[in-house]
Amino acid sequence: QFDRFVIAARHNVEVVELHTQYEFCIGCKNPFKMGSFCAKGLVCAKMGLHAHHPRNCLFYMRDKEPESLQKLLKSNKVEYDAGGEIGQCKVQVQKESGDQMVDGPCGEETAKGNAGYCRI
C-alpha cells in the first residue's frame, strides 16, 4: 500500500501519509513535528518542523560523502555494493510539475562506484 505515502519536498527522508498527513522520517520512523507541538523540550518550541533522529538514522548519512560512508562500512566489515555505472539516479524524490508535486526518480547523473546513486 505504498500509494498512501508521498515524499515531502522539504527533505529526502521525510514521508507523508496521505490520509492522515502524518509526517515521519523514512530512516528512523520518528515523526516530524512543528516546534510548538513537540514535547521533547523547551528548545523545540522555537524550532520549525523537525524530528528527533537517533545517531544511526539515514537523516545524518545523507550529507556524507560516498567515500566517507564506504570507509565507515569497510572499517566495520559491512558488505556493500559500490558498483554501478554512470547513469541516472533511481532514488524516488518529489518534484514540481506545473502546479503540482509528483513522485519520480531523481534522474541526476550518477558517479562510477556509487552503486547507481547520485550525490544529491
Side-chain angles (χ1 to χ4, degrees), residues 17 58 75 95 105 109 113:
E17 202 281 332
L58 177 63
S75 69
K95 298 179 182 180
E109 187 174 306

Side-chain angles (χ1 to χ4, degrees), residues 68-120:
S68 174
L69 292 171
Q70 290 173 0
K71 183 178 177 183
L72 178 66
L73 291 170
K74 282 181 187 175
S75 69
N76 287 285
K77 298 177 177 64
V78 176
E79 292 185 29
Y80 65 95
D81 177 15
E85 298 298 318
I86 295 173
Q88 290 186 327
C89 182
K90 56 190 174 267
V91 171
Q92 292 291 304
V93 296
Q94 194 171 68
K95 298 179 182 180
E96 289 183 32
S97 177
D99 62 343
Q100 62 183 355
M101 301 298 282
V102 295
D103 291 341
C106 170
E108 293 289 325
E109 187 174 306
T110 63
K112 188 171 176 75
N114 285 0
Y117 299 102
C118 74
R119 175 61 186 97
I120 298 172

Side-chain angles (χ1 to χ4, degrees), residues 8 14 23 28 31 55 79 118:
E14 186 181 345
E23 299 179 57
C28 64
R55 293 188 59 77
E79 292 185 29
C118 74

Side-chain angles (χ1 to χ4, degrees), residues 22-90:
Y22 178 74
E23 299 179 57
F24 63 95
C25 174
I26 199 169
C28 64
K29 311 294 187 275
N30 284 343
F32 278 88
K33 295 181 180 179
M34 288 303 291
S36 57
F37 295 104
C38 182
K40 289 279 187 177
L42 295 175
V43 174
C44 294
K46 298 177 183 176
M47 298 176 75
L49 188 67
H50 69 285
H52 295 273
H53 308 275
R55 293 188 59 77
N56 65 347
C57 179
L58 177 63
F59 176 81
Y60 294 113
M61 305 278 180
R62 67 184 182 162
D63 296 326
K64 301 281 187 197
E65 291 296 325
E67 296 80 19
S68 174
L69 292 171
Q70 290 173 0
K71 183 178 177 183
L72 178 66
L73 291 170
K74 282 181 187 175
S75 69
N76 287 285
K77 298 177 177 64
V78 176
E79 292 185 29
Y80 65 95
D81 177 15
E85 298 298 318
I86 295 173
Q88 290 186 327
C89 182
K90 56 190 174 267

